[in-house]
Amino acid sequence: APLVYQTPSNKTVPIIYDSDQGPTVSVPLQEMFGEVVSPKIAGGKVPIRFELLSPARRPIQTTSDLANFWRTSYFEVAKEMRGRYPKHRWPEQPLEEKPGKSLKRFS
């Protein structure tokens, strides 16, 4: 079984294996922009569970179905997080956003 997961922004994150929760990756939400399909391990049989983190590194959502998350609950999460973390990226089109740093770029 793999020990690490590589995010769409090429960041390497450890995979934590738990007998109750299954393989889990804790990663800032913005690192996952553009990842439409939930990655699976064990020959494509076991989905990785994602613990998506706020800019403060606190869990804000847990999912094994990223496609469904981006279509549904992301918008509620983003709405709440925009108020708490206004300097961070919470785009209306997260799948079109480049993955990576959380902070907005100011010109």
Side-chain angles (χ1 to χ4, degrees):
L3 298 176
V4 296
Y5 167 76
Q6 189 164 0
T7 69
S9 64
N10 292 322
K11 187 175 186 177
T12 302
V13 182
I15 298 174
I16 307 301
Y17 290 91
D18 179 283
S19 59
D20 295 328
Q21 302 294 329
T24 302
V25 170
S26 293
V27 62
L29 184 142
Q30 289 82 359
E31 295 286 339
M32 297 304 296
F33 287 153
E35 184 75 89
V36 180
V37 180
S38 294
K40 296 182 180 183
I41 57 175
K45 295 177 185 170
V46 179
I48 295 175
R49 180 176 167 261
F50 287 89
E51 183 178 64
L52 301 172
L53 307 175
S54 74
R57 303 284 194 249
R58 293 187 187 105
I60 53 176
Q61 184 78 32
T62 303
T63 185
S64 294
D65 185 352
L66 287 171
N68 186 53
F69 168 74
W70 295 124
R71 280 192 316 270
T72 59
S73 39
Y74 167 77
F75 299 100
E76 285 300 314
V77 167
K79 183 178 175 182
E80 183 180 334
M81 292 293 111
R82 278 185 198 109
R84 285 189 191 172
Y85 303 101
K87 293 182 181 180
H88 295 264
R89 299 185 301 147
W90 307 103
E92 292 295 326
Q93 302 292 324
L95 296 178
E96 296 174 13
E97 191 76 13
K98 185 177 179 182
K101 297 210 181 286
S102 174
L103 286 172
K104 294 178 187 174
R105 290 194 176 146
F106 295 98
S107 301

